[in-house]
Amino acid sequence: MQIVKLCVLTSLLAINGAWAQVQSQDFSHWQVNGELKPLDVEQQQFVSLWLEEETPQKRGTVILLPDWGVSPSAPNSVDSLRQALPKLGWETGAVLPPAPMQGLMQQIEAEDTEQQQQYKKNLQAVIEAAKQNQQEQFGFQVIIAQGVMGAWLVELLSQQQLTPPDGLVLISAYYPNQQLNKKLAEQTAKLPIPVLDIYAEQYNQWQQHARELRLTASNKNQKLNYRQTHLPATADNEPNSAKLNKTVYGWFSSLGWY
């Protein structure tokens, strides 16, 4: 497989200035297996990294969204799933989501500001563009989202601004705001699609409280296709990749996808 240095992302992400304030980062030390595919969205260019399934039968496609400011190849990101799932028959595509616009996080407590609406529109367009970059639109469609991106994704799905996938995996999903985490819990509990809610040990204090709210809301709303599970940390306080991969595979199996 082609080895792609993510330093290429610096030049591609710089093009996103019309939508997002891009933070200057050095990608030169990141190396990942995969094919880099630019995503052209309304004359803007984003980037995604893809791996084909490694089995005779394709199960489907998994789109992965790392948390804000986290590389898809970082050990505390979604990279272990991105590289493990192709061996189980899944095509994977990791998408670097739009960076937050200036002042967006400062307005997070406000109710659906113009900037928040614009960000959701941008995120929706990028995810839909990623879907069009699948090698073959076949099988089950799954989205895996980490951190704040998981919260934004649930909002898009609850407001029907995004075509629902066959399954949703949240990894340490949260908002940095208690009131919005209550809203996130209610939205998650009312999603009609199956949800696997993974909370990683020592991710941050927000996700711990947010996951408790989601569990309570899902039980109250009798969401039978909801499962929450704990992901222990390693000695370096990084997510346990082997446990994470096994958890997601087990959930796919419980849905009858194997």
Side-chain angles (χ1 to χ4, degrees):
M1 297 181 181
Q2 180 184 5
I3 303 298
V4 180
K5 287 192 175 182
L6 288 186
C7 56
V8 180
L9 301 184
T10 305
S11 58
L12 288 177
L13 288 174
I15 304 175
N16 295 348
W19 276 4
Q21 181 182 5
V22 178
Q23 298 178 353
S24 177
Q25 299 185 56
D26 177 17
F27 296 97
S28 60
H29 60 290
W30 291 346
Q31 291 187 354
V32 291
N33 295 326
E35 178 185 0
L36 185 145
K37 294 183 181 180
L39 303 178
D40 295 323
V41 180
E42 297 186 10
Q43 299 182 342
Q44 307 300 317
Q45 200 169 59
F46 293 82
V47 68
S48 58
L49 288 163
W50 293 81
L51 287 171
E52 297 180 11
E53 68 279 3
E54 300 177 17
T55 58
Q57 180 182 3
K58 180 177 181 179
R59 299 288 179 180
T61 299
V62 177
I63 294 176
L64 304 105
L65 300 172
D67 204 353
W68 274 343
V70 179
S71 159
S73 65
N76 61 338
S77 183
V78 293
D79 190 56
S80 66
L81 286 170
R82 190 186 73 86
Q83 297 197 56
L85 289 175
K87 297 177 176 62
L88 301 174
W90 297 85
E91 176 188 23
T92 62
V95 180
L96 282 178
M101 294 170 283
Q102 186 175 11
L104 180 64
M105 295 306 294
Q106 285 71 29
Q107 298 180 5
I108 201 72
E109 297 185 23
E111 183 67 25
D112 216 15
T113 65
E114 183 177 346
Q115 277 195 328
Q116 291 174 23
Q117 292 179 24
Q118 183 62 55
Y119 186 80
K120 285 187 288 186
K121 180 181 177 181
N122 300 346
L123 179 59
Q124 182 268 344
V126 170
I127 294 174
E128 293 292 357
K131 291 181 180 180
Q132 298 304 314
N133 273 265
Q134 298 177 50
Q135 183 188 45
E136 177 188 15
Q137 295 192 17
F138 174 84
F140 299 104
Q141 303 290 304
V142 180
I143 302 179
I144 298 176
Q146 177 190 26
V148 178
M149 295 314 305
W152 284 106
L153 184 60
V154 168
E155 177 133 349
L156 283 177
L157 291 170
S158 68
Q159 296 178 354
Q160 299 183 339
Q161 297 183 37
L162 188 68
T163 304
D166 296 300
L168 172 65
V169 179
L170 302 176
I171 303 176
S172 299
Y174 74 97
Y175 279 118
N177 175 271
Q178 183 174 358
Q179 194 62 36
L180 285 181
N181 281 324
K182 292 180 181 179
K183 179 181 176 182
L184 170 62
E186 290 299 322
Q187 290 175 332
T188 303
K190 293 176 181 178
L191 289 178
I193 60 175
V195 176
L196 174 62
D197 191 353
I198 302 172
Y199 63 99
E201 190 172 309
Q202 301 179 12
Y203 194 80
N204 62 38
Q205 61 178 359
W206 287 111
Q207 73 103 25
Q208 178 63 28
H209 182 59
R211 74 94 185 169
E212 294 172 354
L213 292 172
R214 290 196 297 275
L215 181 60
T216 299
S218 294
N219 288 336
K220 183 177 179 180
N221 286 271
Q222 296 183 310
K223 182 173 174 57
L224 301 180
N225 57 0
Y226 173 86
R227 177 188 295 181
Q228 186 176 103
T229 186
H230 170 237
L231 183 67
T234 66
D236 298 322
N237 294 329
E238 295 172 356
N240 189 317
S241 297
K243 175 69 173 178
L244 176 61
N245 299 343
K246 184 177 180 180
T247 297
V248 172
Y249 172 76
W251 186 64
F252 287 170
S253 298
S254 72
L255 294 174
W257 293 355
Y258 282 96

